[in-house]
Amino acid sequence: MPVSRRRRAARAAAVTAAALVTAVAVAPATPADAATPEEDRGVFLTVSDTAHTWIRGVLLRCPDGRDHHPRHDAACAALTWARGDLDALRGEPHACTKEYDPVTVTAEGVWRGAHLDWERTFANACTMDAATGPLFRF
């Protein structure tokens, strides 16, 4: 029994539709030239005076340790404990003088896929250390 033109056209349309659905299902959701999710390139930490007459900085990469932070393990542990929220750092509270010699600290970069852009000014280096623990000890 010969197949009619109408049936052949219907089959061809069905095959084409199935191929199209399959192609859409396996195609990437983003264009090929779109940026891939940013890798954890690390967090750049700085400490400076408020007039910016001096500044120190270091790149912290957790957990790989390919950085120059002198207290890498403790700093990564503090950042992990705070889940990347530097306002949640438990620090290491201790007594400080009331000397006013402000320091500004910043943290910028990518940690576990999340962008960090954090800055705080403390009354002096001692209060900064008490609030942030090992993170800015470099």
Side-chain angles (χ1 to χ4, degrees), residues 20-47:
L20 183 60
V21 167
T22 303
V24 169
V26 295
T30 59
D33 61 344
T36 58
E38 214 164 339
E39 294 181 21
D40 287 348
R41 63 176 186 248
V43 179
F44 188 67
L45 306 169
T46 65
V47 178

